[in-house]
Amino acid sequence: MAGQGGDMCAARRSTVRAVLAVSALFLCLAITVALACGAGSFPAPPGEVLRALAQAAGIPWGEPVDPALAVVVVDIRLARVLLAGLAGASLAVAGAAFQGVLRNPLADSFTLGVSGGAAFGASLAILSGIAGEAALAGEARVLPACALAGALAALALVLGLARAGGGPLSSLRRETVVLAGIVVSTFLSALISLLKSLDEESVASIVFWIMGSFQGRGFEHAQLAWPYMLVGAALVFWRARQLDLLALGEIQARMLGLDAGRARLWLLLGASLLSGAAVAVSGVIGFVGLVVPHLVRLMLGAGHARLLPASALLGALLLIWADVVARSILPGGAEMPVGVVTALMGGPFFCLILARRGLSRGRDA
Amino acid sequence: MIRARGLTCGYGGRPVLHGVDLRLAPGEFAALLGPNGSGKTTLLSALAGLVRPMDGAVELGDRDISGLSARERARLVSCVPQSASAPAGFTVRELVLMGRFAHTGLLGGYGPQDEEAALAALVDAGCAELAQRQAAELSGGEWQRVLLARALCQGRNALLLDEATSALDLARRVEAFDLLSRVNAGGGTILVAVHDLNLAALYCPRLIFLKGGRVVLDGPARDVFTEANLKDIYATDIRVAPHPVTGAPQAHLVPGAGPAAHTAG
């Protein structure tokens, strides 16, 4: 593609392309937030929505909007859009990290059973009462921590099952890992159903935990989750270049000076934090973490310094739109779980990757 | 200096190397030779700190390798692995840049001096024109040159190469060994495992033969590269004649003289 003399120039060009792509994603995200705050059964013209958002941000722009509209646009919709964006970004970054650490294109919080573990941890905390009264509304401070514990336990179980034959994490067969993930997920869904039947009142609806939803979620949920998400994202982003090395496999990563075992542990912890926090406030939303990193790789290549931020932005975009679809597609103001939308998009995509990668030969150890 | 002291190591509790003692002085250029399964790859892995010794020790400079962090170790020795597949989604430039990982800070990314080192390594390894290509789309020979470039980018003090030229055609192989000679002339210590005896005898002042996990011969080509020694190590009939240009000893195979014929008489 490039001539001999143009190497530095071409390198700069690819950086420029990445910056442009990320800026474009930022712009789309801003437009998406405005549009998503306008979408719904309560009519809100775009101009009114923008004014309401600006006034909520303290910018005196135009006449004060109708207070009812301000409540709908800001307190209900913006809060929800914000949470969907945070959850989408977290799930996408977690997916990219899981795929990188395990060198498995099929890995993500959902296929690894991590989301199922988080959901079980959170619902167990609510039922057992350790999360307190606030947990009934999903607002307990310890909820994300319990989800994290569940996520880590499920991850350990899945990797332990997949590794029963021994060998390093990076050389596990990708189908084996996903199979173990599905087994653990299914088992945990059954346990959540059991918890639910033990106590109809306290545990939120099964559909919430299994298919995910942002219905009735507000700023308090975003407030609950973001510190965990921030720490998880910091752990993963800080190790972007280490993820690049891990893509080379255990031996080469170590040759180049990476303490591969330690890097993998921290990355798995970071990705679990992101997934656990997302699941604690929005339930199990599948396939976002699977699809988004693949789409970004097609655009920007596999280098994680670009892949991670672009995945975060695209994940936020995707889940905000999925939520808009979930709350506006059914007639009569009824909602469907957002996980249904992501699964309808992600399921076929998963099959596509499986078919394409399954046919190519396996990789080296 | 790279040194193995009574080095015993292997996999799953089964030793492959048995008490290997070896010392490479700074600036030495040695070849590691021996039949399949003699322990060449294991020895290189142990010297690179990738395999933990069951007994004995490896020293880099005056320090025991087990006391070094992964980063410190990677700054002291660069490696070219035997067989490695290229990951999808990375350009050659990005891959070579990864050689600088151990030289960067924990927080910062790759800086301009890292980019320069990568470019210089690509030029030296004769693959500057590949810089923007997708690594996964390279041929076997191109990929081996990229791996060599990455090792140069990592550092030129000490290089351990494991069959790093096996996929190269003849011209590229000579080019690669010429490059290693230049790196060696610049002060680099080099240990290269090769199957090609003649290439080793042509380029490397020191030949180290492994058999059954032990060093069985070690010395300059003119002393150790003899018909009797080679017949013994490789269990086949081999004739040695001087190279028509340099006079270095070169091995020649004799048809119909496999291991079975050899043991039969």
Side-chain angles (χ1 to χ4, degrees):
Chain A
M1 286 203 300
Q4 282 96 323
D7 292 333
M8 288 301 255
C9 196
R12 221 166 285 135
R13 262 205 308 281
S14 77
T15 309
V16 167
R17 200 178 60 203
V19 170
L20 277 180
V22 169
S23 317
L25 282 172
F26 251 118
L27 190 67
C28 288
L29 191 58
I31 296 169
T32 290
V33 169
L35 288 176
C37 286
S41 47
F42 189 96
E48 299 278 296
V49 171
L50 285 181
R51 285 223 314 272
L53 291 176
Q55 285 165 17
I59 303 163
W61 178 25
E63 302 159 23
V65 290
D66 173 12
L69 184 127
V71 166
V72 168
V73 168
V74 177
D75 292 340
I76 297 176
R77 289 186 192 156
L78 180 63
R80 193 171 165 155
V81 164
L82 187 70
L83 189 65
L86 281 176
S90 298
L91 291 172
V93 171
F98 281 130
Q99 285 164 20
V101 168
L102 299 171
R103 300 175 76 206
N104 186 340
L106 300 175
D108 111 279
S109 327
F110 181 65
T111 56
L112 287 175
V114 171
S115 293
F120 179 69
S123 49
L124 190 64
I126 294 170
L127 182 81
S128 65
I130 59 168
E133 279 297 303
L136 295 178
E139 292 162 22
R141 282 262 150 238
V142 296
L143 212 51
C146 297
L148 172 66
L152 288 174
L155 183 64
L157 187 61
V158 167
L159 295 181
L161 274 177
R163 261 186 108 159
L169 281 183
S170 57
S171 63
L172 295 176
R173 280 181 58 82
R174 47 178 79 113
E175 293 82 2
T176 314
V177 175
V178 172
L179 201 60
I182 289 166
V183 168
V184 170
S185 284
T186 311
F187 185 71
L188 289 168
S189 306
L191 283 182
I192 297 171
S193 299
L194 183 68
L195 289 183
K196 172 73 181 164
S197 47
L198 285 178
D199 189 343
E200 283 293 329
E201 294 293 299
S202 65
V203 182
S205 79
I206 291 303
V207 173
F208 170 81
W209 289 117
I210 292 171
M211 294 309 294
S213 174
F214 295 105
Q215 190 167 19
R217 305 267 119 179
F219 284 120
E220 63 276 17
H221 297 100
Q223 247 167 21
L224 193 64
W226 78 262
Y228 292 87
M229 291 173 170
L230 188 69
V231 174
L235 282 176
V236 174
F237 275 75
W238 181 44
R239 290 177 185 268
R241 284 180 305 139
Q242 305 186 8
L243 276 167
D244 289 348
L245 262 66
L246 287 174
L248 302 171
E250 171 91 15
I251 293 173
Q252 289 190 67
R254 290 177 57 209
M255 276 180 183
L256 295 174
L258 181 66
D259 185 340
R262 188 188 298 175
R264 267 200 292 268
L265 275 182
W266 282 109
L267 281 162
L268 288 177
L269 179 66
S272 300
L273 263 165
L274 287 167
S275 321
V279 170
V281 292
S282 59
V284 175
I285 299 170
F287 297 108
V288 177
L290 181 78
V291 173
V292 169
H294 282 281
L295 293 177
V296 175
R297 272 188 213 104
L298 288 177
M299 289 192 295
L300 298 175
H304 288 82
R306 292 160 191 187
L307 178 63
L308 295 176
S311 290
L313 291 170
L314 189 62
L317 258 172
L318 196 79
L319 201 50
I320 292 172
W321 280 117
D323 184 47
V324 169
V325 171
R327 67 184 148 98
S328 54
I329 202 166
L330 292 183
E335 278 204 23
M336 62 178 177
V338 67
V340 170
V341 180
T342 60
L344 286 177
M345 292 189 297
F349 193 89
F350 180 89
C351 297
L352 198 71
I353 306 169
L354 189 64
R356 223 180 49 183
R357 305 295 291 250
L359 293 176
S360 63
R361 63 198 154 72
R363 57 190 182 226
D364 66 330
Chain B
M1 185 198 69
I2 303 175
R3 182 167 196 174
R5 280 178 197 270
L7 184 65
T8 297
C9 58
Y11 310 94
R14 226 161 34 97
V16 175
L17 297 176
H18 305 274
V20 170
D21 284 297
L22 190 68
R23 183 178 178 279
L24 281 173
E28 268 201 285
F29 186 5
L32 194 57
L33 301 160
N36 292 335
S38 56
K40 299 189 291 287
T41 297
T42 308
L43 179 55
L44 287 177
S45 301
L47 293 179
L50 303 176
V51 180
R52 202 183 292 265
M54 294 156 73
D55 195 24
V58 172
E59 290 165 14
L60 294 180
D62 52 357
R63 296 182 64 182
D64 193 299
I65 201 165
S66 60
L68 297 173
S69 73
R71 271 169 186 276
E72 289 173 317
R73 196 191 68 220
R75 284 198 292 265
L76 294 173
V77 242
S78 321
C79 304
V80 181
Q82 182 173 30
S83 65
S85 60
F90 291 96
T91 63
V92 165
R93 187 189 129 267
E94 288 174 318
L95 269 170
V96 173
L97 206 47
M98 289 184 204
R100 298 295 296 174
F101 177 76
H103 299 269
T104 56
L106 279 171
L107 281 176
Y110 301 109
Q113 72 275 28
D114 298 314
E115 297 271 359
E116 273 167 36
L119 199 61
L122 277 166
V123 170
D124 286 348
C127 47
E129 79 281 1
L130 300 178
Q132 297 306 320
R133 289 265 301 277
Q134 284 293 314
E137 291 164 7
L138 300 179
S139 73
E142 287 171 330
W143 174 233
Q144 279 199 331
R145 282 188 283 145
V146 169
L147 286 177
L148 186 56
R150 194 182 69 194
L152 292 178
C153 180
Q154 189 181 344
R156 305 184 186 213
N157 290 332
L159 265 77
L160 303 174
L161 303 96
D162 195 358
E163 294 296 340
T165 56
S166 57
L168 301 184
D169 61 36
L170 292 176
R172 292 296 191 185
R173 207 173 282 193
V174 169
E175 194 179 81
F177 268 82
D178 283 341
L179 167 64
L180 290 179
S181 296
R182 283 199 301 279
V183 172
N184 175 243
T189 314
I190 299 176
L191 181 61
V192 48
V194 274
H195 268 302
D196 190 333
L197 289 172
N198 292 341
L199 207 54
L202 205 53
Y203 279 95
C204 306
R206 179 179 172 191
L207 306 180
I208 300 161
F209 285 90
L210 284 183
K211 191 173 185 182
R214 291 183 172 84
V215 175
V216 288
L217 277 175
D218 183 356
R222 64 174 184 282
D223 295 346
V224 298
F225 204 89
T226 62
E227 285 181 0
N229 284 341
L230 295 181
K231 271 183 200 170
D232 194 38
I233 291 170
Y234 289 94
T236 187
D237 197 6
I238 292 174
R239 302 291 161 82
V240 172
H243 187 278
V245 177
T246 70
Q250 297 283 286
H252 299 279
L253 298 172
V254 181
H262 184 71
T263 46

